[in-house]
Amino acid sequence: MGCYCSKPKKTPGYEDPVVLAAETPFTVSEVEALYELFKKLSSSIYDDGLIHKEEFQLALFRNQNKKNLFADRIFDLFDVKRNGVIDFGEFVRSLGFFHPNAPVEDKIAFAFRLYDLRQTGFIEREELNEMVLALLHESDLLLSDDVVEAIVDKTFSDADKKGDGKIDQQEWKEFVLKHPTLIKNMTLPYLMDITLAFPSFVMSSEVEDYEM
């Protein structure tokens, strides 16, 4: 008699680990480990095989209701299909930017998109101000409005070479290459040794670098 054992059901958006490994810095075994992590995260609140924003925030902050601009932006960038959820393919490809072996240029580009809140192709003063405040809030650092404004002013005086009140992608790239610690939180060393713990996006180092 034949065996009628069914294979474990794959989550929506599941992709072959071999394909994902070829497109990202991860090995096949790392992608397979990420799938176990993904299954855990995607069933933490809604058991539908997709990561919803509340599940994403729960994984980042252990609090599904915590509002944070940084977390919202990370979620939006992971949600490549713009359908309000993150599937397995999006999860792996997006985490790939944080892999230690990911090209620095890719990390710089991802960070630019993070700060380009209104998706205009530029980082504007108001956007930078909002992100600095979000980073400070998440790091439990209390700085006066004058200090925050000084951080933004210093960044723009150094990065906005054209003096047009906004930072384009080339200006951002040149600025970050001079201050590489600004994207230190774009590298998560333990992605080379995947566990069932969600990667922690450490933000305090970035705020410290703005205070240079």
Side-chain angles (χ1 to χ4, degrees):
M1 293 179 61
C3 176
Y4 293 94
C5 302
S6 59
K7 293 183 177 180
K9 185 180 178 182
K10 300 297 185 184
T11 60
Y14 176 81
E15 294 184 43
D16 187 338
V18 175
V19 173
L20 289 171
E23 297 179 7
T24 66
F26 296 110
T27 64
V28 173
S29 60
E30 287 172 338
V31 174
E32 290 171 342
L34 279 175
Y35 184 59
E36 296 304 312
L37 171 61
F38 179 84
K39 286 192 296 184
K40 178 185 176 185
L41 297 178
S42 62
S43 61
S44 60
I45 299 176
Y46 308 104
D47 193 8
D48 59 0
L50 297 164
I51 296 178
H52 295 250
K53 182 169 284 189
E54 298 95 327
E55 292 172 319
F56 194 76
Q57 291 184 332
L58 182 63
L60 277 176
F61 302 120
R62 303 292 182 263
N63 183 340
Q64 70 189 67
N65 298 315
K66 183 168 181 175
K67 300 299 181 186
N68 180 271
L69 178 62
F70 187 87
D72 285 345
R73 287 301 297 144
I74 291 284
F75 183 88
D76 290 343
L77 293 181
F78 273 50
D79 178 20
V80 178
K81 297 186 180 76
R82 297 284 185 270
N83 58 356
V85 291
I86 300 169
D87 65 31
F88 181 57
E90 291 173 319
F91 183 69
V92 175
R93 289 187 177 89
S94 297
L95 275 181
F97 289 107
F98 294 85
H99 195 285
N101 294 338
V104 172
E105 290 78 8
D106 291 352
K107 294 177 183 290
I108 292 173
F110 189 95
F112 181 87
R113 289 159 55 208
L114 187 67
Y115 283 87
D116 181 15
L117 301 177
R118 294 161 189 76
Q119 300 172 47
T120 59
F122 301 95
I123 298 173
E124 299 172 356
R125 182 178 292 271
E126 184 180 345
E127 292 172 320
L128 181 61
N129 189 74
E130 287 181 43
M131 283 299 291
V132 169
L133 288 173
L135 289 165
L136 287 169
H137 177 73
E138 195 48 48
S139 306
D140 293 324
L141 291 174
L142 298 176
L143 297 179
S144 68
D145 291 343
D146 288 345
V147 174
V148 172
E149 188 173 340
I151 291 172
V152 174
D153 287 344
K154 179 71 165 62
T155 300
F156 264 80
S157 68
D158 290 349
D160 180 19
K161 298 300 184 185
K162 295 175 184 172
D164 55 4
K166 54 192 178 184
I167 301 170
D168 62 29
Q169 293 188 46
Q170 184 58 36
E171 288 173 327
W172 173 254
K173 180 179 179 180
E174 292 173 3
F175 178 65
V176 174
L177 288 175
K178 289 180 182 176
H179 307 282
T181 49
L182 280 172
I183 58 166
K184 188 163 54 179
N185 65 334
M186 285 294 304
T187 296
L188 305 174
Y190 37 86
L191 283 181
M192 302 202 45
D193 182 21
I194 302 299
T195 69
L196 289 183
F198 191 84
S200 173
F201 295 91
V202 180
M203 291 161 269
S204 58
S205 62
E206 192 158 344
V207 174
E208 289 163 4
D209 292 323
Y210 274 124
E211 297 177 276
M212 290 185 300

